[in-house]
Structures are given as structure tokens and as C-alpha cells.
């Protein structure tokens, strides 16, 4: 397909690709059209001959087409990267003049935002849920995203955060909200200053300190945050939402920015303003405010708490209350999905916040949501016609439930005994949507950490074996297999009734396969599972495990370059050497010289966990300790 580019063609293409994946795919394959489309941005003159409009009209429509093509089509994104569309828009923005019409600036900013967001989705990590993107595109996407956060490029588009065009400001803020997903990018933006202010800083520090005293955000690392905060009290909800979303991404895992947002100087802190917006009647604004507050809370609200400044717990309670209301509402699926993930981000890997969410009723709201969209006894094709958006909502709910249940046995028992969610979790293990299977495995992992649940519900309902079947599948998505491997790691513990069953069903060959996969996560989980499998095991089981794993392989793992693998390998040896018979087996099969040599080297490791594991192994095994000292004595004698 070859398309002649002029103004009417661009308008027609723009209308045809909106919400039309087939049309996007067709245009994405036309490399000549994509090249001409990008050329329209920087040099529209050749395309004016047959057009009725001006150069700006051509450029605006071309920018709109690029924006539409960037969303949802990896083929289109690949073609746009080949044509260097991201560089073309940066160049075009750098040449904007004060006299240029606002519509042109807004179109360029919107297209750059669309490209940056699409690149960040490919590079990751995902902001909400898990997604699939072609591996062959990731390197080019990462290089392009790196380019957008070079200081020289930031100098071009970040000043437009104070542009006279409000739509331009919104697009730049949305670009930051979508693209700031790694610490180097956050650091680049949080440390950025306009060139004029950088020159002022060079002149001397005294005046700079005065600026810092007047406004804690107006210091190095605070210009972007300061400008975004200034929009929080505006009347335009879209501008507020974009500013909140950008601040959420900037403050995430960024204590220096988060602490400034939480600090108040002679006026309410930005966090106070953000928490007030968490109660907004506009749901998109409410979700954005809660996400922003979550980033500040999780980055660490500093200790200088005054009567005007909320504590972390008070701020978290505001977010939890707002998200509970949205999760239990009859609002659209997209809003409730976002609410689940915001709550998940808030409580993830934090025992106290998990407990707080549980006490505030979050688990009940999530359970009701899951039950309302998931059959407890599904037929074979129950998920075939389900909308993608509803599957994403189920993924979000299960992911949040797994996060809340990660630490506390009472919460896990509440899920199994009172809320009775196991049938819904089990039904979701075979769902066609990868995210649903993955999040269901995460729930099973959280539940399997409780001894009482593992001994009863997980065995009686068949959930344990259902996860194990997922674990055995060779063609399963790697992320799902990884989550299932974490469950199996718990299922083979000494108190699990399923340990002997899984041994009979071939868990050892599967673990060996994962150990040899080359994937760091799989290797670590496989070793962790072997460690659990060997704990308080019989000599017969030890021999069975080592027939599959191999003594030579184990000795190599003791010297592995991955220190986490080393730590677990020594833990495996520790469980093998439990008892006189086990110690004798280790010495005979591994060889005294190899074993003691590995222990000697590991004791000099810079990694505290490795040293701790080796020390515990040696000190807790008398025969090992004696042999170790004999070796030392021999070394000293020579």
C-alpha cells in the first residue's frame, strides 16, 4: 500500500486509524508512508503542492496521525522508531517560535507523549498488570527512551511545563507520568534545572540557599516538582490529574522528592493538598491523587511530623478509604482496575500497611469484586468471550489480595475459611489471560505460606496440584511458571502433605530443568525448592534429590558468580549434612578437598548472607567443624 501524503490524506488516515488495529497494522507496513509522515513534521514544504492548508496544518495532522499510530500497535511503533520519529519531534519542538500557534505546540507535545508512553510500555516495568511486548523491539525502544532523558533533550521539552498552552503542559506532564519508570530517569528529571537557573547556581551559593529556604521544592532537584505542584490548585481537573500523575511517577522510590512534597513551610504541604484531592468527586482525579500520595508514602514520609503534616498512617488511611469506595462501586471497569492497583502499590511488601488495609475492610471489598466477575465452578470455555478489560480487573483484584495476604496467617485463613476464595483462585489458573493466571498463582503462593492452610485447604481443594500442573507446563508463559515455582517451593516443605506426592509426580527433573534454564529467577527458585525439599528429609530422599541434581553440579553452584545462588547452594549442603549419615554422604560424594575448599573461599566472601550461611553450616555440624580445623592446621603447618 502506497499513500500520497497531503492534508486531506492525513485527515482521512487520522480518522481511519483511531480505534482500528487493522488500519494501524496496514499503515505500519507501509514504510514509505511512515517516512513521509515523519518528514511532514520537520519539512512539510514538499507536501503543500496539492494541499489546501498551510505548513502548520500539515504538521498538526501528521502529529495527530503519529499519536494515533503509537498506541496499541507494536508494528507501527517499530516503523516509527525506524523513521526516528522521536528525534523528529524533539527537533520540531526545539524550533518552535513564540509566534507559533498553540495548536501546533500542543500537537507536537501530544505526539511526543504518545511515543514516550509507548516506548516505556515496551521497555517496562509495567505500571499496572503484566503485558507482552516483542523482545526484538526492546533494545531499540530502550535506546530511544534513553535519548528522551538526556539532559540536552530535557532542555528542549521540559521548559514547556510552563507553556502558555495548557494542553501542551498537560501532554508534557503526561509524558513524565508514563515514561518515568526507572531510577535513572527519575534522577535525570528531578535534578534538572532550566539553563538560566543552572547559570545562576554557578555564580554562588548564598543566593541559592535563600531560594531553598523560601521554598523547599525550589532547590536543585525540585524545579519540575515545584512547577507540577503549582498546578494542583488550578481549576482545570485534567491539568490537576496530569500533574498528580507526573508527581506520582517522579516521587516513586525517590525519597528526596517525596520528602519535599511531604514537608510544609508556613503553608500546607503539597501532600496535604494531594490528600484533599483524594476525596474529589471526580474519579480520575481521585485515583491520580491517591497514586501520588502512595508514591510519597512508600518513598518514606520523613520524621519531622507537625500538627499540620499528616503521618504516614493517616495518609495511608485516606488512600485506603478512597480506594475501597471505588473498588466496591459500580463504576467502569477501568476505574476499578486502577483503584485495585493503587491499593496494591500502597501495601506491597509492607507488613504494617497490609494489616491496615485488612483492618479497614479492603479484603472484603476485593473478595466481593472477584466473586462478582468469576465463576466458582467454570465451564471449559467460560473465559472465551470475556472482555479483556474484565480480565484485567480480575488480575488487579487477585494481585492486591496476594499482596495483602503475604505476611499474616490470620489474613490467609480469612481468605480460605470465611471469604472462601480458593475455588475462584483455582478457576483462574487456566484462564486464557496471562495476567489472571499469574495473579492467581501469586494468591496461591501467599496462602501456601500458612501451615494450617497448606495442610488443609490447599490439599483438600486440589489447589496445590492445580498449581503444580501449571508448573509442569513447558509452553506456559515464563512469568506464570516463575510464580508457580514459588508456590511449589512452599508445597515441598516438611510439614506439607504434598511433599511425597510431588516427588512421585516428577518435581525433581522439572526443578533440574529450571536450574539449567539460565534464568536467574528460575535458578534461585529451583535451589530454594531443593533446600525446602531436603529439610528434615530421609536419606532416601536426599539420595533421590542428588541423583537428579548431581554432586558435581552442586559443587559448581557453591562457587557460582551469583551470590544469591551461592547462599542457597550452601543451604542445600547444610540440609544434606543433617545427621551423621548425611555428613558422611556429603564428604564421600563431594570429596573433602572440594567441600572444605569451597567453605574456606566462601568464608572470605564480601556477601554477609553467604558468610552467615557457611558459618552456620560449619558450626552446626561437628564433623564438618573438625574437618575444617584439620584443614586449617595442615595449611598452617605448610
Amino acid at each position: 500500500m502506497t499513500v500520497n501524503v497531503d492534508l486531506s490524506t492525513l485527515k482521512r488516515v487520522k480518522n481511519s486509524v483511531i480505534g482500528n488495529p487493522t488500519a494501524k497494522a496496514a499503515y505500519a507496513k507501509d514504510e514509505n508512508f511512515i517516512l513521509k509522515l515523519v518528514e511532514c513534521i520537520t519539512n512539510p514544504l514538499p507536501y503543500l503542492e496539492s494541499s489546501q492548508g498551510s505548513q502548520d496544518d500539515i504538521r498538526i495532522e501528521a502529529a495527530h496521525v503519529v499519536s494515533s499510530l503509537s498506541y496499541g500497535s507494536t508494528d507501527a511503533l517499530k516503523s516509527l522508531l525506524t523513521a526516528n520519529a522521536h528525534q523528529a519531534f524533539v527537533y520540531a519542538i526545539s524550533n518552535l517560535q513564540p509566534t507559533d500557534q498553540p495548536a501546533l505546540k500542543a500537537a507536537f507535545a501530544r505526539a511526543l507523549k504518545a511515543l514516550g508512553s509507548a516506548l516505556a510500555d515496551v521497555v517496562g516495568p509495567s505500571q499496572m498488570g503484566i503485558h507482552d511486548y516483542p523482545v526484538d523491539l526492546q533494545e531499540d525502544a530502550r535506546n530511544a527512551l534513553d535519548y528522551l532523558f538526556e539532559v540536552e533533550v530535557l532542555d528542549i521539552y521540559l521548559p514547556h511545563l510552563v507553556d502558555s498552552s495548557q494542553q501542551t503542559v498537560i501532554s508534557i506532564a503526561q509524558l513524565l507520568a508514563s515514561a518515568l519508570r526507572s531510577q535513572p530517569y527519575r534522577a535525570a528529571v528531578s535534578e534538572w534545572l532550566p539553563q538560566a537557573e543552572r547559570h545562576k547556581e554557578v555564580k554562588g551559593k548564598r543566593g541559592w540557599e535563600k531560594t531553598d529556604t523560601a521554598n523547599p521544592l525550589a532547590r536543585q532537584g525540585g524545579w519540575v516538582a515545584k512547577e507540577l505542584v503549582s498546578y494542583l490548585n488550578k481549576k482545570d481537573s485534567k491539568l490537576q490529574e496530569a500533574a498528580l500523575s507526573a508527581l506520582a511517577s517522579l516521587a516513586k522510590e525517590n525519597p528526596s522528592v517525596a520528602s519535599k512534597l511531604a514537608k510544609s513551610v508556613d503553608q500546607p504541604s503539597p501532600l496535604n493538598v494531594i490528600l484533599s484531592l483524594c476525596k474529589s468527586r471526580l474519579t480520575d482525579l481521585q485515583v491520580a491523587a491517591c497514586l501520588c500520595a502512595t508514591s510519597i508514602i512508600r518513598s518514606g514520609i520523613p520524621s519531622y511530623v507537625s500538627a499540620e503534616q499528616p503521618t504516614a498512617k493517616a495518609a495511608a488511611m485516606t488512600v485506603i478509604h478512597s480506594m475501597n469506595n471505588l473498588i466496591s462501586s459500580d463504576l467502569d471497569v477501568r476505574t476499578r482496575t486502577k483503584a485495585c492497583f493503587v491499593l496494591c502499590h500502597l501495601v506491597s511488601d509492607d507488613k504494617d500497611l497490609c494489616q491496615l488495609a485488612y483492618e479497614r475492610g479492603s479484603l472484603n471489598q476485593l473478595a466481593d469484586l472477584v466473586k462478582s466477575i468469576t465463576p466458582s465452578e467454570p465451564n471449559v470455555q467460560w473465559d472465551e468471550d470475556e472482555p479483556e478489560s474484565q480480565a484485567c480487573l480480575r488480575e488487579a483484584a487477585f494481585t492486591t489480595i496476594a499482596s495483602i495476604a503475604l505476611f499474616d496467617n490470620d489474613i490467609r485463613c480469612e481468605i480460605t475459611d470465611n471469604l472462601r476464595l480458593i475455588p475462584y483462585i483455582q478457576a483462574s489458573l487456566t484462564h486464557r489471560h496471562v495476567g489472571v493466571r499469574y495473579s492467581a498463582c501469586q494468591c496461591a503462593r501467599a496462602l501456601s505460606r500458612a501451615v494450617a492452610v497448606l495442610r488443609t485447604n490447599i490439599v483438600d481443594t486440589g489447589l496445590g496440584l492445580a498449581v503444580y500442573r501449571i508448573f509442569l507446563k513447558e509452553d506456559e508463559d515464563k512469568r506464570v511458571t516463575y510464580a508457580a515455582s514459588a508456590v511449589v517451593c512452599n508445597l515441598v516443605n516438611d510439614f506439607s502433605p504434598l511433599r511425597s506426592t510431588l516427588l512421585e509426580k516428577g518435581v525433581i527433573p522439572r526443578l533440574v530443568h529450571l536450574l539449567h534454564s539460565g534464568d536467574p529467577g528460575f535458578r534461585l527458585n529451583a535451589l530454594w525448592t531443593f533446600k525446602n525439599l531436603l529439610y528434615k528429609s530421609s536419606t532416601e530422599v536426599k539420595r533421590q534429590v542428588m541423583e537428579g541434581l548431581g554432586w558435581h553440579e552442586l559443587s559448581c553452584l557453591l562457587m557460582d558468580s551469583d551470590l544469591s545462588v551461592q547462599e542457597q547452594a550452601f543451604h542445600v549442603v547444610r540440609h544434606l549434612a543433617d545427621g551423621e549419615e548425611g555428613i558422611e554422604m556429603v564428604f564421600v560424594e563431594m570429596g573433602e578437598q572440594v567441600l572444605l575448599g569451597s567453605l574456606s573461599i566462601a568464608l572470605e566472601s564480601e556477601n554477609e548472607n553467604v558468610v552467615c550461611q557457611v558459618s552456620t553450616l560449619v558450626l552446626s555440624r561437628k564433623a564438618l567443624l573438625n574437618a575444617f580445623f584439620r584443614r586449617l592446621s595442615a595449611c598452617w603447618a605448610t
Side-chain angles (χ1 to χ4, degrees):
M1 177 176 66
T2 302
V3 179
N4 293 320
V5 177
D6 55 30
L7 185 60
S8 61
T9 300
L10 290 172
K11 289 182 176 180
R12 176 172 52 80
V13 172
K14 177 186 70 175
N15 293 329
S16 67
V17 298
I18 294 175
N20 189 338
T22 304
K24 285 184 182 183
Y27 286 113
K29 294 176 182 177
D30 191 338
E31 295 181 2
N32 187 46
F33 169 72
I34 296 294
L35 288 171
K36 289 180 179 179
L37 180 66
V38 173
E39 190 178 6
C40 285
I41 304 301
T42 55
N43 183 25
L45 281 173
Y47 306 100
L48 276 175
E49 295 180 3
S50 58
S51 299
Q52 298 288 324
S54 64
Q55 291 188 52
D56 284 355
D57 292 333
I58 290 274
R59 298 169 87 190
I60 288 170
E61 291 302 325
H64 289 331
V65 173
V66 170
S67 297
S68 296
L69 287 175
S70 300
Y71 287 112
S73 171
T74 53
D75 288 337
L77 181 60
K78 188 181 296 184
S79 299
L80 289 168
L81 280 176
T82 301
N84 290 317
H86 56 296
Q87 295 183 6
F89 279 104
V90 169
Y91 176 77
I93 292 172
S94 71
N95 287 317
L96 285 171
Q97 302 300 316
T99 55
D100 285 328
Q101 56 179 308
L104 181 64
K105 290 190 291 185
F108 284 173
R110 179 173 176 265
L112 187 64
K113 179 262 295 185
L115 281 167
S117 300
L119 291 171
D121 281 341
V122 172
V123 174
S126 173
Q127 291 181 312
M128 294 189 180
I130 62 174
H131 303 281
D132 293 314
Y133 293 99
V135 176
D136 61 335
L137 184 58
Q138 287 185 344
E139 184 176 354
D140 289 340
R142 183 175 291 104
N143 291 336
L145 201 57
D146 287 344
Y147 167 79
L148 292 182
F149 288 99
E150 293 176 0
V151 174
E152 295 79 9
V153 177
L154 294 176
D155 285 342
I156 292 170
Y157 68 80
L158 279 184
H160 288 280
L161 270 178
V162 292
D163 198 274
S164 57
S165 165
Q166 191 160 289
Q167 191 55 53
T168 299
V169 174
I170 289 173
S171 291
I172 298 300
Q174 289 173 334
L175 168 61
L176 297 178
S178 296
L180 288 175
R181 305 194 192 184
S182 68
Q183 210 52 37
Y185 297 159
R186 294 186 190 108
V189 172
S190 62
E191 293 170 5
W192 184 86
L193 285 170
Q195 290 182 341
E197 294 195 23
R198 291 207 291 266
H199 294 317
K200 286 181 184 178
E201 184 184 359
V202 173
K203 292 180 181 179
K205 194 173 181 182
R206 184 170 299 173
W208 182 245
E209 290 175 338
K210 291 179 181 178
T211 303
D212 175 50
T213 303
N215 186 337
L217 287 172
R219 56 185 290 185
Q220 185 176 14
W223 187 91
V224 171
K226 175 175 70 71
E227 297 304 330
L228 291 170
V229 166
S230 70
Y231 296 125
L232 298 184
N233 288 315
K234 299 294 184 181
K235 299 300 182 183
D236 188 304
S237 62
K238 292 297 181 184
L239 179 59
Q240 289 177 303
E241 181 188 340
L244 286 165
S245 299
L247 284 169
S249 293
L250 188 61
K252 185 175 183 181
E253 299 174 359
N254 195 345
S256 63
V257 171
S259 63
K260 295 167 195 169
L261 293 173
K263 188 175 182 180
S264 59
V265 179
D266 301 327
Q267 58 184 342
S269 70
L271 179 58
N272 284 96
V273 178
I274 292 165
L275 291 174
S276 68
L277 293 173
C278 289
K279 305 168 186 177
S280 172
R281 294 184 179 181
L282 301 174
T283 54
D284 287 341
L285 183 58
Q286 186 180 10
V287 171
C290 286
L291 180 60
C292 187
T294 292
S295 292
I296 298 170
I297 294 165
R298 291 309 306 266
S299 293
I301 292 180
S303 57
Y304 45 82
V305 178
S306 65
E308 294 78 24
Q309 185 176 326
T311 64
K313 182 177 180 180
M317 286 173 64
T318 299
V319 174
I320 291 170
H321 176 74
S322 297
M323 295 301 95
N324 282 352
N325 286 341
L326 294 183
I327 290 169
S328 62
S329 70
D330 57 357
L331 290 169
D332 61 277
V333 168
R334 182 184 65 88
T335 299
R336 287 185 289 163
T337 300
K338 285 185 175 181
C340 288
F341 277 122
V342 170
L343 183 58
C344 182
H345 293 331
L346 176 66
V347 304
S348 180
D349 296 322
D350 189 298
K351 184 177 180 179
D352 292 337
L353 289 175
C354 287
Q355 187 64 34
L356 184 62
Y358 172 61
E359 291 171 356
R360 295 290 158 177
S362 298
L363 202 57
N364 290 327
Q365 308 297 347
L366 291 162
D368 289 343
L369 172 57
V370 167
K371 291 176 181 179
S372 69
I373 60 174
T374 310
S376 59
E377 296 180 2
N379 57 48
V380 177
Q381 298 178 330
W382 70 278
D383 59 335
E384 192 172 287
D385 298 323
E386 183 178 56
E388 191 80 4
S389 59
Q390 185 162 297
C392 291
L393 176 58
R394 183 182 295 104
E395 174 191 355
F398 275 140
T399 302
T400 311
I401 290 170
S403 293
I404 294 174
L406 191 60
F407 298 100
D408 190 86
N409 283 335
D410 290 339
I411 296 176
R412 299 180 190 120
C413 291
E414 177 72 13
I415 290 172
T416 57
D417 298 343
N418 296 330
L419 297 176
R420 300 184 182 279
L421 284 182
I422 283 186
Y424 304 93
I425 296 170
Q426 191 166 339
S428 299
L429 288 173
T430 56
H431 196 281
R432 63 179 177 81
H433 185 74
V434 172
V436 173
R437 300 198 303 277
Y438 175 81
S439 58
C441 284
Q442 293 288 17
C443 283
R445 175 199 170 210
L447 296 178
S448 65
R449 289 164 66 96
V451 176
V453 173
L454 180 52
R455 283 178 170 173
T456 55
N457 300 84
I458 287 181
V459 176
D460 296 342
T461 61
L463 177 62
L465 289 179
V467 173
Y468 183 67
R469 287 192 290 271
I470 297 290
F471 173 71
L472 291 178
K473 289 179 66 176
E474 295 283 353
D475 58 345
E476 181 57 90
D477 185 276
K478 284 181 62 176
R479 294 161 295 186
V480 178
T481 302
Y482 179 78
S485 71
V487 182
V488 172
C489 187
N490 293 332
L491 297 182
V492 298
N493 270 307
D494 63 301
F495 51 77
S496 171
L498 290 174
R499 175 188 269 192
S500 58
T501 303
L502 298 191
L503 279 170
E504 293 171 1
K505 290 183 176 292
V507 69
I508 293 175
R510 180 60 171 156
L511 289 172
V512 171
H513 174 76
L514 294 180
L515 187 62
H516 295 157
S517 67
D519 183 277
F522 282 145
R523 295 182 74 216
L524 191 59
N525 272 9
L527 269 179
W528 203 297
T529 307
F530 277 130
K531 176 192 73 176
N532 287 353
L533 184 58
L534 289 166
Y535 181 64
K536 292 186 178 179
S537 62
S538 64
T539 302
E540 181 184 350
V541 169
K542 290 176 183 177
R543 293 195 182 280
Q544 190 177 347
V545 168
M546 293 314 299
E547 283 177 10
L549 176 57
W551 290 98
H552 176 72
E553 174 72 13
L554 180 57
S555 63
C556 291
L557 292 171
L558 297 178
M559 306 294 290
D560 198 272
S561 58
D562 187 332
L563 295 179
S564 296
V565 168
Q566 261 194 50
E567 178 191 356
Q568 294 307 315
F570 277 112
H571 213 147
V572 167
V573 174
R574 179 179 162 189
H575 289 170
L576 284 168
D578 184 28
E580 294 298 326
E581 192 174 353
I583 293 174
E584 180 67 20
M585 181 197 305
V586 170
F587 271 116
V588 170
E589 299 293 348
M590 189 172 287
E592 181 175 321
Q593 186 174 359
V594 171
L595 175 60
L596 298 181
S598 299
L599 292 172
S600 301
I601 294 171
L603 282 172
E604 298 177 0
S605 173
E606 296 179 358
N607 185 280
E608 292 182 1
N609 293 329
V610 172
V611 174
C612 179
Q613 198 57 244
V614 174
S615 301
T616 305
L617 168 61
V618 173
L619 294 175
S620 63
R621 306 293 185 265
K622 185 176 180 181
L624 271 178
L625 186 61
N626 292 336
F628 190 71
F629 279 122
R630 284 200 306 272
R631 180 183 175 89
L632 285 178
S633 299
C635 290
W636 290 334
T638 58

